[in-house]
Amino acid sequence: MKGIKILGIGAYVPENVITNDDLTQLMDTSDEWIASRTGIRERRVVSGDTTVADLAIKAAQDALKSANVTADTLDLIIVGTSTPDMIYPGVCCRVQDALGAPHAAGFDLALACTGFVASLVTAEQFLRTGMYKRALVIGADIHSRFMDWTDRNTSVLFGDGAGAMIVEASETENHLFASELHIDGTKGCDLKLQTNITNCPLVEPRSAISPYLTMNGREVFKFAVGLVPTSIQSALKRANIGLNDFDYLVLHQANHRIMQAMTEKLGIEPERMVFNLDRYGNTSAASIPLVMNEAVLTGKVKPGDVLVLCGFGGGLSWGSTILRWTAVDHRLQDQQSVQEPATVAP
Ligand SMILES: CC(C)(COP(=O)(O)OP(=O)(O)OC[C@H]1O[C@@H](n2cnc3c(N)ncnc32)[C@H](O)[C@@H]1OP(=O)(O)O)[C@@H](O)C(=O)NCCC(=O)NCCS
């Protein structure tokens, strides 16, 4: 089995910012309620004809820059998304075309907010066995098109975005230590988004179906706080890494109260958790690479840091993976080389 190297990371969010105050035009809510119950202050949403593939392509281009590799070297593209623009072709096909990655195989993987972790773990299997050498893993979702914007229980929580990571097989190094994936279909109804396409007109019609995301918030809260910390502990155990021996917890950015309760349950200081939920809301499959990208760009996460990535959400589903960030981020190097002449000759 080969080892895994992480080469780069990238992200993209749409420009349109919707604040909590903006939402008061659509429903009976307040900045105070949303911020205190969730930690969210604003989110990004797509406008016009922007597609989830457009976001995924921009995040992928950013990750290629970070890794300093070209798209024609990619062998595999996996897009974790549960809000594709089309049933087919898959988002991966549009990404492949736009990037110019003719040698890449690919598929989309729908596992809601666990989509990125599940896609990364799936890519890992192809690389470890030697079937492929280099993979692009994307998490991208546009939930703003699947919201009832008068439903204050759900619509205030979500935002749109995309994140991407480039990983490759290595003969000499391994920086992906252990992973776990789970689903519990018995609780699927607690968080769901159904298609409401009609039956053939010659047969009994389907029952009326909500085209919007529906959620039992309290049950999802209980599930996340109850099961997810156990999965983190179990992945750490398999990696032989203690609770004090990793640097940052990169949790799916769903709700700050959920995240806080998880750190309490694990006995981890909240400072060891990366956080950008306040500015983007829950971006579903995008949230982990989005927050990780920010932590790398701001220098919070440094080469050598061990990270615990953990996604959870619709399915219900959850999964954790433990990795070491070792990549030299070429976006940061480029910034330094642009700034250097100014410091030499002010
Ligand atoms: C959704 C969530 C924030 C609701 O918080 P809560 O404390 O459980 O709130 P409740 O559902 O008990 O609602 C309390 C009251 O606030 C109201 N309320 C709900 N959303 C509101 C909003 N956006 N603004 C103002 N009031 C709101 C409710 O209608 C209810 O009013 P009532 O008592 O008059 O019926 C919380 O359950 C949660 O975070 N769940 C997890 C959701 C999640 O993260 N999902 C994605 C996982 S991937």
Side-chain angles (χ1 to χ4, degrees):
M1 288 287 187
K2 314 245 182 270
I4 305 290
K5 271 172 75 179
I6 290 113
L7 299 188
I9 190 152
Y12 181 77
V13 287
E15 282 171 14
N16 313 290
V17 178
I18 306 287
T19 65
N20 291 345
D21 280 335
D22 293 333
L23 291 178
T24 61
Q25 297 168 42
L26 304 174
M27 64 193 86
D28 180 15
T29 190
S30 65
D31 177 49
E32 196 281 325
W33 195 98
I34 301 170
S36 64
R37 300 289 180 116
T38 71
I40 300 165
R41 295 224 168 254
E42 58 187 47
R43 69 286 293 141
R44 303 295 182 97
V45 300
V46 291
S47 61
D49 296 324
T50 302
T51 63
V52 75
D54 293 332
L55 307 191
I57 290 161
K58 289 200 163 102
Q61 285 165 335
D62 196 31
L64 288 167
K65 262 192 223 153
S66 159
N68 196 27
V69 298
T70 53
D72 60 352
T73 65
L74 297 172
D75 303 310
L76 177 67
I77 300 172
I78 305 181
V79 183
T81 185
S82 299
T83 52
D85 320 302
M86 303 182 206
I87 292 173
Y88 57 83
V91 178
C92 62
C93 300
R94 275 211 52 209
V95 171
Q96 186 222 31
D97 177 33
L99 295 183
H103 315 298
F107 50 89
D108 293 356
L109 191 155
L111 206 60
C113 305
T114 315
F116 181 77
V117 170
S119 298
L120 181 59
V121 175
T122 304
E124 177 194 356
Q125 312 311 309
F126 284 101
L127 301 179
R128 285 218 193 274
T129 56
M131 181 164 177
Y132 295 121
K133 171 92 177 112
R134 186 172 283 170
L136 166 65
V137 181
I138 300 176
D141 269 311
I142 289 182
H143 269 99
S144 64
R145 292 212 174 106
F146 300 92
M147 285 296 155
D148 173 356
W149 284 103
T150 62
D151 176 3
R152 63 185 185 170
N153 292 300
T154 56
S155 60
V156 303
L157 301 174
F158 291 86
D160 302 337
M165 192 184 270
I166 296 178
V167 285
E168 78 173 11
S170 168
E171 299 290 344
T172 53
E173 295 174 51
N174 179 46
H175 301 297
L176 216 161
F177 303 128
S179 304
E180 285 216 356
L181 293 176
H182 304 270
I183 54 170
D184 179 0
T186 63
K187 300 205 171 71
C189 286
D190 288 335
L191 183 53
K192 66 174 193 273
L193 179 51
Q194 291 174 273
T195 58
N196 66 343
I197 318 287
T198 54
N199 283 348
C200 165
L202 298 176
V203 300
E204 185 188 349
R206 286 176 86 185
S207 317
I209 289 170
S210 167
Y212 302 119
L213 180 146
T214 56
M215 179 181 72
N216 183 342
R218 285 193 176 179
E219 286 306 312
V220 174
F221 198 108
K222 277 195 264 175
F223 138 74
V225 176
L227 286 174
V228 176
T230 313
S231 146
I232 292 174
Q233 279 166 326
S234 142
L236 280 168
K237 199 169 167 197
R238 284 169 55 192
N240 205 17
I241 292 176
L243 272 174
N244 294 319
D245 301 331
F246 69 89
D247 296 282
Y248 290 107
L249 196 51
V250 187
L251 286 178
H252 167 49
Q253 309 282 299
N255 175 316
H256 84 116
R257 289 195 304 167
I258 293 182
M259 295 161 77
Q260 221 168 353
M262 285 179 181
T263 55
E264 274 165 27
K265 205 166 167 185
L266 289 165
I268 290 172
E269 311 80 8
E271 301 75 48
R272 283 172 65 204
M273 179 172 73
V274 293
F275 187 81
N276 69 358
L277 170 78
D278 52 334
R279 282 164 289 126
Y280 302 110
N282 177 345
T283 55
S284 191
S287 91
I288 287 175
L290 183 61
V291 72
M292 188 172 152
N293 179 60
E294 188 172 290
V296 167
L297 282 178
T298 56
K300 182 164 186 158
V301 166
K302 296 182 183 60
D305 282 352
V306 174
L307 310 177
V308 175
L309 278 50
C310 183
F312 53 90
L316 296 176
S317 61
W318 64 107
S320 311
T321 191
I322 297 161
L323 57 84
R324 182 183 284 122
W325 173 254
T326 52
V328 175
D329 195 303
H330 286 77
R331 296 168 303 174
L332 292 172
Q333 280 205 323
D334 291 351
Q335 270 174 23
Q336 277 164 6
S337 58
V338 170
Q339 283 159 12
E340 261 162 22
T343 55
V344 175

